[in-house]
Structures are given as C-alpha cells and as structure tokens.
Amino acid sequence: MKVELLKLSLLGILTIPCIHASPLDLFLGLPSGTLNLTFDSTNGAALRMNLGNNAGDTLSFRWAHKATDYVPFSDPSWFVVNGGLNALASTNDFGVEVGDYGFTGWQSTNVILNSDNAIFAIGASNTGDTLYNSFVGVDQILLNGSPVFNGGFELGDLSGFATAGDVNVIQDTSIGGCCLTGTTDTILPFAGDFFALIQSFGMEAEGDIELGGAPDNPIVPVINVNPDTGVPEWVFPTIFSGAWTDPPFVYGFNYLLTGGFASSINFPTGPAWSQFAGLNLTSPDCAGIGGTFGNGVGDQTGFDFAAAGCDSVAQWTISTLSPIFDAGDPAGFPLQILLDTGTASLTMTNVTPSAVPEPSSMLLLGAGIGILGLVRARRSRS
C-alpha cells in the first residue's frame, strides 16, 4: 500500500503534505523531505566526501548491503551524487532486491560526474519504523580508476569523510537477521584491511524540522551571560549538520563547537544579505585561509575546511572592520555549518566584548527565541 501511494503522489494524483527537511536530508544536500518521500525513511546514517574531481570523471565504488528486516520494510541503502538520490539495494521495491534478511555481497557502481568538485555520499535508512537496522559496507572509492584520499579506508579511520549517524571503519563483521536462524552473513573488506560500515541508525530522516533549513529561517540562539566576564554568549545547545544558524552580528564573532567539528561553512547570498561583504575568516585549527568572504564581488561564498586538509576544526572567527548590523536583531547574519558528526553544540562570543547589546536589545533578542527540538513521530508495527 505504501508503494502505491508513493507512485500516485509522484504522479500528482494525491496532495503531498508539506515535509520539512530532516537532518539527514540536509547532511546529504537533498531537497526537504526527499528521503521520507522516496523511501518512507525514519532514521539512517551516511558518510560524505568532496571528490575534488573534474566534470566528466568516472566515480566507482564497491558496496555490500545486508538487510536484517523483512518485507514489506524495504530498509534501503542508497547513494547521492550529481545532486540526486539513487537506490542501491533493499528487501524489496528499490535497487537490488534481497528479500527477507538478504545480503548482496560486494557489488560495483560506476557514475560519470557532471560537475567539478562533486559531493558523493552513501548511506542506509529504515523504512516505516526504527527497528532492525540495515547495513551497507563501502570500500575502494575510485576516480578514473585511482583511489581517492582514504577511499580504501586503509588509514583505519574516517579521515577525509564527514559522517552522520552510525558509521565506523572496521576489518570484518558478522550481521544476523532479526527473527530467523541461518540469516547471518559476514562482510570482509573488498580489498586491503579495512572498509566503512554504515548502519541505518543515529540520524533523523523524517520529522518536522523547519528551523535551520534555509538562511531566511535559521536557528536562533539563547543568550547566556558568562558568569566570569559578564559578557553575553550566544548559545545553540544543539545544531544539526547543514543547519543555518543566526546570531546577531556586530564586528564579528568567535565560533566554538563542542561534540563535533566543522567540515565546511557557507555564507548567505542574494540581495537580502548584500551588506555582508569583504568579511575575514580565520581559524586556529586551519592555517592559510586566504581572501575575503560574503556576498561581494570577489568574495568567497563558503569555505571547505576538509578540502583544505583541516580535519578537526572546532574554532573560527568571522569579522569585519566596522559594525555592520544591529546587535539586537536576531535575523542578521545566517551561516550554514556542515559537521563531521550529526549534531554538535555551538557557542559564539563577540569579537569585541565591549560592544555588547544594550539591555533593551537583549530583552528583545531573548523574547520568543526557541531552541531546536527534534520532533520524532514514530510509527508502530501492527
């Protein structure tokens, strides 16, 4: 029944309700609700990397899907490249159909890339519930036949990749099905000593998450006055990878992440943010950041820490030479932050602590500011 409704919806016969972006959609760079609408996904996990390729290059990778669930719960694995979501395998309905508790063994996929510096991601998700996770192993990620950095995972870790949810580098594993004996399969590395194993657990793939999905609807902070300095801090207790965050902007802000690292950041573009031009970006965790940033001629609109070889960026500063926005306006300067983890906490302090909001501005800023809540709508099996 679920599959037929999906087909009818895509044909425009049924009205599709508004589905906001899940954290996993945002991590993958997919339009709002893509995973939920395509696969009826509830939760999942993925790894992602910037390939540093040229348009026309060939991407290839090895993968192995193991289902621990049964039909009709498809629990698919999938990959994202060239801006699109593509099925790899499932118990039924999508890609290679393995049936109840099935296993594909190692498979190969080849794709011609249609743009420079493409983003490649691979993952797995649950369908209709959060029980009996599916798994996908990945190994030997190649460009034009040559391994990409750590594409064989022979460093024994996830260097070069951003992750969301349950992703680990391992040497081998045995995975059993949920309900019957004789459904255990062992996954060994395709080549070398290691491979990455993704389990469909740990990251929301449905839900009703609106805040943070766009620069004009960002997550806004709670003000916390530091007891030692008396200076206000702008605190985001939880942000998800790909979220737009928005504190007030004065001369600039120091950013500090805990519980994760930034893989890249993006500045807002378009007429609404034309005043943010010629900004400076520095980080004690990433040397050699050059040029200016923002929305002006010659500015860079983002910076990829991972592509610059900076794998553990938890601190950075964005600043300008003069105050360019009212510190009491909570919709002043959105910044998109992509993480190497699914979520993290963010604290921001003013570059010039003496230039703090006046009491009236602080009252306005504090009024009505919410903290992001992940609303989990769980469906039970009958």
Side-chain angles (χ1 to χ4, degrees), residues 41 55 68-69 101 122 127 136 165 178 202 204 235 248 272 278 283 341 358 361 370:
S41 296
T68 68
D69 214 338
Y101 327 117
I122 182 170
T127 294
V136 62
C178 81
E204 183 80 17
V235 179
S283 171
T341 50
E358 296 178 358
S361 295

Side-chain angles (χ1 to χ4, degrees), residues 9 49 57 70 145 162 175 235 250 278 300 319 345 361 381:
S9 297
M49 74 178 311
D57 286 350
Y70 50 86
I175 304 171
V235 179
V250 191
Q300 302 171 66
S319 60
S345 299
S361 295
R381 294 187 176 185

Side-chain angles (χ1 to χ4, degrees), residues 148-172:
V148 301
F149 172 70
N150 201 23
F153 302 96
E154 295 309 298
L155 295 179
D157 58 30
L158 289 161
S159 297
F161 294 87
T163 64
D166 193 317
V167 184
N168 294 283
V169 172
I170 59 176
Q171 293 180 297
D172 62 75

Side-chain angles (χ1 to χ4, degrees), residues 76-94:
S77 58
W78 32 261
F79 71 99
V80 176
V81 76
N82 294 333
L85 177 65
N86 308 270
L88 289 173
S90 66
T91 60
N92 64 320
D93 294 333
F94 305 107

Side-chain angles (χ1 to χ4, degrees), residues 127-317:
T127 294
D129 64 6
T130 58
L131 302 174
Y132 311 132
N133 304 319
S134 60
F135 295 79
V136 62
V138 59
D139 203 358
Q140 288 295 291
I141 304 172
L142 310 176
L143 270 179
N144 300 324
S146 299
V148 301
F149 172 70
N150 201 23
F153 302 96
E154 295 309 298
L155 295 179
D157 58 30
L158 289 161
S159 297
F161 294 87
T163 64
D166 193 317
V167 184
N168 294 283
V169 172
I170 59 176
Q171 293 180 297
D172 62 75
T173 188
S174 295
I175 304 171
C178 81
C179 308
L180 297 177
T181 58
T183 62
T184 298
D185 292 285
T186 299
I187 308 179
L188 299 171
F190 175 79
D193 296 322
F194 298 95
F195 72 102
L197 185 68
I198 303 165
Q199 179 181 189
S200 61
F201 175 78
M203 178 57 64
E204 183 80 17
E206 59 166 358
D208 184 21
I209 297 172
E210 184 174 8
L211 288 177
D216 58 356
N217 191 25
I219 305 169
V220 291
V222 172
I223 286 183
N224 174 57
V225 177
N226 187 300
D228 297 324
T229 64
V231 172
E233 299 172 332
W234 286 264
V235 179
F236 300 81
T238 303
I239 62 170
F240 50 87
S241 182
W244 288 90
T245 61
D246 191 2
F249 190 86
V250 191
Y251 289 91
F253 276 94
N254 302 307
Y255 293 70
L256 176 62
L257 286 172
T258 55
F261 299 108
S263 57
S264 62
I265 58 175
N266 291 313
F267 293 79
T269 58
W273 296 280
S274 60
Q275 71 271 39
F276 296 112
L279 305 178
N280 299 307
L281 171 66
T282 59
S283 171
D285 301 326
C286 191
I289 302 174
T292 58
F293 297 82
N295 202 18
V297 176
D299 286 344
Q300 302 171 66
T301 59
F303 190 80
D304 191 326
F305 294 117
C310 305
D311 297 325
S312 300
V313 177
Q315 303 176 70
W316 66 95
T317 296

